[in-house]
Amino acid sequence: MVNESDVIVETKNLTKTYRDFWGRQKVRALKALDLEIRRGEIFGLLGPNGSGKTTTIKLLLGLLFPTSGQVNILGRPASDVAKNERLGYLPEESYLYRFLNAEETLDFYGRLFNIPASVRRQRVAQLIQLVGLESAKKRQLREYSKGMTRRIGLAQALINDPDLILLDEPTSGLDPIGTRNMKDLILQLKERGKTIIMSSHLLGDVQDVCDRVGILYQGELKELGRVEDLLKIVEETEFRVSGLSEETKKKIEQLVKDDPKAEMVFCGNPTTSLEGLFHDIIAESEARPGLRVRGGDSAK
């Protein structure tokens, strides 16, 4: 049973229809969405482009008005602008002032929230350290890479110390290292007690950081649940054993063959992900500089 005070976002029958100039229905971007997002969790909105993810986030922010249904954020209607003081938002494309540096950018947005100067200076320094931009804090944003721009965009979304953070495609356009850094930052925010809604069409990113996911397709919620529950294949059993002798391995295979209801689906060595391999190689290369070729395969 979920305590009502722990429900940060609640939508009921939330629907958004876009109409043409004459008022005729053009696109139904979202259809009767029912959701509850709880305090302290990372919730992933997953779906292909055009599935309704960005529309959902804009409805939560109050940037769009629903055609029908209700949406409450932190106990207030989404249309109540007072709720925005407790929200942080990283859009898919951050529109920041290119001729300001990181400190000036965060100070500017801190002023918009009427944060006192002493608190503002302290928070700006903390956020720059959090997102790893201390060495570039005096550089103008026009000199920033895509990854650095996403990180200062995240810092800007956190300037008001929000309770709820909405991230729209936070790893969009980032290389593997930038993606890993962004995901680590998101997990750090959860450790600080923040509630996070993350919209993405990148399956691996959502799997790595989210507690629960909702899968959208053509504006409809198709699946909802905890990541580990949705990914579990209940019909199969997995054993992971190190140092297994060939003799014991053959005995296990024979036991499986002797069970009339069992079928050997796979027996071999486990594999890592390409992302995991990439980061292992980078970390080892930094620790032990020099040319290195990994693996036993070669061009034939």
Side-chain angles (χ1 to χ4, degrees), residues 54 58 63 89-100 105 108-109 112 141 146 149-150 152-154 156-157 168:
T54 297
K58 289 183 177 179
L63 299 176
Y89 174 46
L90 176 66
E92 185 173 359
E93 292 290 339
S94 297
Y95 299 98
L96 303 170
Y97 295 101
R98 298 173 63 247
F99 295 98
L100 296 181
T105 297
F108 170 76
Y109 284 100
L112 294 181
L141 300 194
K146 176 77 177 195
T149 300
R150 293 305 276 166
I152 193 62
L154 178 61
Q156 176 264 313
D168 194 357

Side-chain angles (χ1 to χ4, degrees), residues 185-247:
L185 285 171
I186 293 170
L187 291 171
Q188 286 182 47
L189 292 172
K190 180 190 175 181
E191 291 175 359
R192 297 183 178 202
K194 306 299 184 184
T195 304
I196 301 164
I197 300 175
M198 173 177 162
S199 162
S200 181
H201 63 275
L202 301 175
L203 311 185
D205 293 351
V206 174
Q207 181 178 344
D208 285 347
V209 302
C210 292
D211 301 304
R212 290 193 304 140
V213 297
I215 299 176
L216 292 170
Y217 182 65
Q218 295 182 343
E220 294 183 312
L221 184 64
K222 298 296 185 179
E223 189 62 86
L224 176 67
R226 296 193 64 81
V227 173
E228 63 267 26
D229 294 335
L230 296 177
L231 296 180
K232 187 182 297 181
I233 304 174
V234 296
E235 297 85 3
E236 297 182 9
T237 302
E238 182 179 66
F239 296 93
R240 292 196 177 189
V241 184
S242 62
L244 191 67
S245 69
E246 283 299 316
E247 182 181 357

